[in-house]
Amino acid sequence: MNKTIQVNKLALIDIIKYPILTDKTTQMIEENKYYFAVEVKAKKTKIKKAIEQLFDVKVKRVNTLIVKPQKKRIGKYMGYKSKYKKAIITLYDPYKINLFADN
């Protein structure tokens, strides 16, 4: 039984790939909204459960969108960045996620 709980926790960790940090997303942190790249097949309920367990916060809302493949040029070669799913996580007021390491 303990092994299944650990497997489920690892599965939830695999859903969240990395936080998306840009100028716009850092401004949205003030409004308690956080952006993450997640698995393309992940459902909103699984994303919510993963965020709540990983960061020990209470999620108010989850919005998702799939970012289409974008053309990328390196020298004379053209290629594509692969598609990914972006999740916009809104938290309840007292909760925060610290994405930046404190020095």
Side-chain angles (χ1 to χ4, degrees):
M1 182 174 160
N2 194 13
K3 207 172 202 181
T4 57
I5 293 170
Q6 192 174 14
V7 170
N8 289 341
K9 194 168 188 176
L10 288 175
L12 290 176
I13 290 172
D14 289 340
I15 290 173
I16 309 298
K17 293 182 180 177
Y18 54 89
I20 299 171
L21 297 173
T22 62
D23 290 338
K24 181 179 178 181
T25 60
T26 50
Q27 287 176 355
M28 296 302 282
I29 289 175
E30 295 172 9
E31 297 177 23
N32 232 4
K33 292 185 180 183
Y34 297 86
Y35 289 69
F36 291 94
V38 296
E39 266 187 33
V40 175
K41 293 185 178 183
K43 304 277 188 238
K44 288 183 180 185
T45 54
K46 293 276 188 180
I47 295 169
K48 180 178 179 178
K49 189 182 286 185
I51 293 290
E52 286 180 346
Q53 283 192 0
L54 285 175
F55 298 106
D56 196 29
V57 294
K58 192 74 174 154
V59 175
K60 186 176 187 180
R61 178 184 289 163
V62 177
N63 294 352
T64 59
L65 63 132
I66 295 178
V67 179
K68 294 181 181 178
Q70 298 173 342
K71 284 186 183 179
K72 202 71 175 165
R73 183 186 183 107
I74 300 174
K76 66 179 183 176
Y77 301 104
M78 287 292 290
Y80 285 92
K81 289 175 68 176
S82 55
K83 73 175 182 178
Y84 66 95
K85 191 173 208 175
K86 185 189 297 187
I88 304 166
I89 310 296
T90 307
L91 301 179
Y92 283 104
D93 270 344
Y95 296 99
K96 299 274 184 219
I97 297 175
N98 189 6
L99 297 176
F100 306 104
D102 294 333
N103 291 335

